[in-house]
Amino acid sequence: MLEMRPVCEHCNKALLPESDEAMICAYECTFCKTCVETVLNHECPNCGGTFEKRPVKKTTS
Ligand SMILES: [Zn+2]
Ligand SMILES: [Zn+2]
């Protein structure tokens, strides 16, 4: 089950399900776009994975 973490693991910035600033690594570590680009240099500090944009939660199904 995919758990949507509500905050950046680095700076604790709030990342709402509809946020377009949320990035996840291959193992679902969650960070904000700012940390990924400026602090983490696009590499996950936990598992070395690369990041992609977390899908924005859609209200329509
Ligand atoms: Zn952050
Ligand atoms: Zn990771």
Side-chain angles (χ1 to χ4, degrees):
M1 168 172 152
L2 182 67
E3 189 179 330
M4 288 281 239
R5 282 171 212 177
V7 297
C8 172
E9 292 183 25
H10 183 75
C11 70
N12 286 326
K13 179 187 173 80
L15 296 170
L16 299 175
E18 63 271 28
S19 171
D20 65 358
E21 283 188 282
M23 307 284 284
I24 58 171
C25 91
Y27 297 93
E28 297 177 19
C29 309
T30 304
F31 295 91
C32 72
K33 194 171 177 233
T34 304
C35 287
V36 167
E37 291 182 348
T38 65
V39 181
L40 307 178
N41 202 24
H42 294 269
E43 185 175 300
C44 179
N46 298 333
C47 53
T50 53
F51 287 98
E52 60 184 63
K53 195 171 176 296
R54 190 175 72 179
V56 176
K57 189 178 182 185
K58 302 252 167 50
T59 50
T60 53
S61 64

